[in-house]
């Protein structure tokens, strides 16, 4: 599975929601990419799951790597996918701009620099993004 992304803004966000925690094994560090700027090789290996009423998650059926999170409900995120930073060939140089569901972060780990970025609780996310429960 390979992808090419053009015009990627080198910013990432961290999601501590329970679904991302279980999906990734810790937290999702995601990079928002316009679907129009993405091309995938080996699309026959993309497995998708509608993981909630408002979003789906995809992974590679050959190697198991998480590929993207995509909001399927009407939202400001329409037309984008959230790609785990770890699947980029070069994951260096991204600025982490926020952490969401910060109140769901386990106390056993933390990311450096969290005192310098926007931190949103679950309730903040519900208020800001109209996401009903979990991201
Ligand atoms: Zn999440």
């Amino acid at each position: 599975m390979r992808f090419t992304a053009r015009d990627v803004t080198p910013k990432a966000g961290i999601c501590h929601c329970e679904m991302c925690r279980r999906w990734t094994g810790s937290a999702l560090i995601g990079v928002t990419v316009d679907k129009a700027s993405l091309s995938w090789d080996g699309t026959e290996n993309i497995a998708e799951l509608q993981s909630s009423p408002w979003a789906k998650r995809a992974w590679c059926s050959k190697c198991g790597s998480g590929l993207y999170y995509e909001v399927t409900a009407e939202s400001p995120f329409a037309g984008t996918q959230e790609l785990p930073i770890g699947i980029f060939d070069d994951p260096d140089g991204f600025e982490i701009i926020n952490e969401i569901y910060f109140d769901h972060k386990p106390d056993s780990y933390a990311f450096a620099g969290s005192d310098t970025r926007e931190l949103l609780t679950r309730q903040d996310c519900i208020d800001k993004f109209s996401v009903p429960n979990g991201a």
Side-chain angles (χ1 to χ4, degrees):
M1 174 64 62
R2 302 281 313 161
F3 72 93
T4 304
R6 295 175 310 279
D7 305 324
V8 175
T9 303
K11 295 181 185 294
I14 298 173
C15 183
H16 296 286
C17 84
E18 183 179 349
M19 289 181 75
C20 284
R21 177 167 55 82
R22 293 183 186 279
W23 189 46
T24 64
S26 53
L28 173 64
I29 306 175
V31 177
T32 304
V33 179
D34 281 332
K35 286 174 71 175
S37 78
L38 272 171
S39 54
W40 296 90
D41 287 337
T43 51
E44 68 276 11
N45 297 317
I46 296 177
E48 289 185 336
L49 172 72
Q50 188 76 35
S51 55
S52 70
W54 58 89
K56 62 184 178 182
R57 293 169 193 264
W59 65 96
C60 174
S61 64
K62 284 236 162 142
C63 73
S65 294
L67 298 177
Y68 55 83
Y69 167 89
E70 180 179 338
V71 175
T72 53
E74 207 171 298
S75 84
F77 305 105
T80 67
Q81 291 176 329
E82 196 79 14
L83 276 56
I85 195 169
I87 67 170
F88 284 79
D89 285 340
D90 181 4
D92 288 332
F94 288 85
E95 176 194 2
I96 296 177
I97 57 170
N98 63 19
E99 296 186 44
I100 65 173
Y101 284 74
F102 193 72
D103 54 329
H104 287 224
K105 184 187 75 59
D107 65 7
S108 48
Y109 57 78
F111 292 88
S114 62
D115 54 334
T116 63
R117 65 179 70 100
E118 181 181 33
L119 303 176
L120 300 174
T121 65
R122 175 179 174 271
Q123 189 61 51
D124 292 337
C125 293
I126 292 169
D127 295 343
K128 189 170 180 173
F129 307 122
S130 302
V131 175
N133 185 16

